[in-house]
Amino acid sequence: KQIKETYSQCSCEILPESYIELMRTNPDSLPSMNTGPMPEETGDEEPIIYGQIMGGLGNQLFIYAFCKQLVEILNRKAVLYYDSGDGRYLEITAFPLDERITIIPRCFANEMKEKGLYRRFSSCCRVIDMPSSQKLKIWIGRFFQKRGIIYINEGYGRLDYRALRKQKQIIFQGYMQSERFFSQVSDALRRELAVPRRNESESTGRTDTWIQNIQSTESVCIHIRRGDYLSDQFKDRFLV
């Protein structure tokens, strides 16, 4: 009931009560929901993926990797919007990225509003976030994939590529922090995201020494995060 009320308040369409019950009791049996096309679905536009890329370089890499696998499996282009409000920068463009993925430094929400897609997308995200059960969130998320909506705020959620392939437009948001989201393109990602080889003229003795040490031992990288983790908001949560 709570999910139904939230959805009906935020969207022009009301989710039938029978679907809510199936979400709760037997998500695998959910049939397709004929609610009509999303805006811009009725024309001859090329199928496309819209997404939000956010955070620092680490999060940008996860989101890009997720998008690359979508692009590869669904065989379509993607546009990612980046607008960081925390003072971070778009760093992933330093790498030679997939030409099918365009990254634009603009606000994701504003761009979706201009395309007439944001109201439906934000409604679906609120519904997915409502249950306290992570398992139920995942199943409801899969239900909305049948409408071209992917929202995974944390963890891993299996994607229904067959359902997504039928959608003219796909919108996604989330940090996508699981290697399972890009397992099928991992080799291509390693090639794309490799640090370029330096010219001999650019080498330094100190750098070469570190490279030799790393390559000659079983090396481990330890990242000590400070920055925002030192704020009152995070330091107790992450035991800083």
Side-chain angles (χ1 to χ4, degrees):
K1 180 180 179 181
Q2 193 177 17
I3 293 173
K4 179 183 176 182
E5 289 176 352
T6 300
Y7 192 87
S8 61
Q9 289 169 5
C10 301
S11 174
C12 58
E13 297 162 359
I14 298 177
L15 199 61
E17 191 159 352
S18 58
Y19 277 79
I20 296 295
E21 181 63 21
L22 284 174
M23 281 181 183
R24 187 180 66 82
T25 59
N26 189 12
D28 276 334
S29 68
L30 283 170
S32 298
M33 183 177 178
N34 183 18
T35 55
M38 291 178 67
E40 300 186 11
E41 273 188 358
T42 54
D44 297 326
E45 298 87 354
E46 181 181 5
I48 195 167
I49 299 166
Y50 295 114
Q52 181 180 25
I53 190 165
M54 51 192 170
L57 178 59
N59 285 322
Q60 292 173 33
L61 289 168
F62 270 113
I63 296 166
Y64 170 78
F66 169 87
C67 183
K68 182 176 177 66
Q69 180 153 305
L70 267 187
V71 164
E72 190 70 31
I73 292 177
L74 302 181
N75 190 28
R76 61 181 68 183
K77 296 180 180 180
V79 177
L80 302 180
Y81 296 102
Y82 181 82
D83 178 30
S84 177
D86 58 5
R88 299 183 182 183
Y89 301 96
L90 184 59
E91 300 177 88
I92 195 172
T93 50
F95 296 98
L97 305 178
D98 194 313
E99 293 181 352
R100 296 169 294 180
I101 301 175
T102 302
I103 300 179
I104 302 176
R106 295 179 188 166
C107 176
F108 170 77
N110 289 345
E111 291 296 318
M112 293 300 99
K113 287 176 182 176
E114 288 184 9
K115 298 177 186 300
L117 302 173
Y118 187 73
R119 184 180 182 188
R120 182 190 294 260
F121 177 73
S122 61
S123 300
C124 294
C125 293
R126 288 181 62 185
V127 172
I128 294 169
D129 260 344
M130 289 189 66
S132 57
S133 166
Q134 183 65 21
K135 185 176 181 180
L136 185 56
K137 285 184 180 183
I138 291 172
W139 282 115
I140 295 176
R142 288 190 66 197
F143 169 79
F144 283 118
Q145 288 178 33
K146 293 177 170 62
R147 300 298 300 142
I149 303 294
I150 304 173
Y151 176 70
I152 303 173
N153 194 31
E154 59 182 12
Y156 173 76
R158 188 159 58 93
L159 300 184
D160 187 345
Y161 291 109
R162 181 179 298 180
L164 291 169
R165 190 173 282 112
K166 297 176 182 178
Q167 304 304 314
K168 187 82 171 180
Q169 294 169 323
I170 294 170
I171 311 174
F172 77 83
Q173 186 182 55
Y175 287 103
M176 313 306 180
Q177 294 175 335
S178 172
E179 69 280 2
R180 288 181 286 178
F181 282 131
F182 51 86
S183 59
Q184 297 184 43
V185 294
S186 57
D187 290 339
L189 285 168
R190 290 188 182 97
R191 292 191 295 269
E192 286 182 9
L193 304 175
V195 178
R197 290 182 177 272
R198 296 174 294 109
N199 297 326
E200 291 186 7
S201 59
E202 297 174 339
S203 65
T204 64
R206 184 179 181 185
T207 301
D208 289 339
T209 299
W210 277 111
I211 291 174
Q212 292 173 8
N213 290 339
I214 291 170
Q215 293 178 342
S216 63
T217 61
E218 291 291 335
S219 304
V220 176
C221 176
I222 299 176
H223 175 200
I224 301 175
R225 177 166 178 167
R226 294 174 62 81
D228 57 340
Y229 273 28
L230 295 180
S231 67
D232 292 337
Q233 180 182 359
F234 293 111
K235 64 181 183 181
D236 292 334
R237 178 180 175 187
F238 295 109
L239 306 179
V240 177

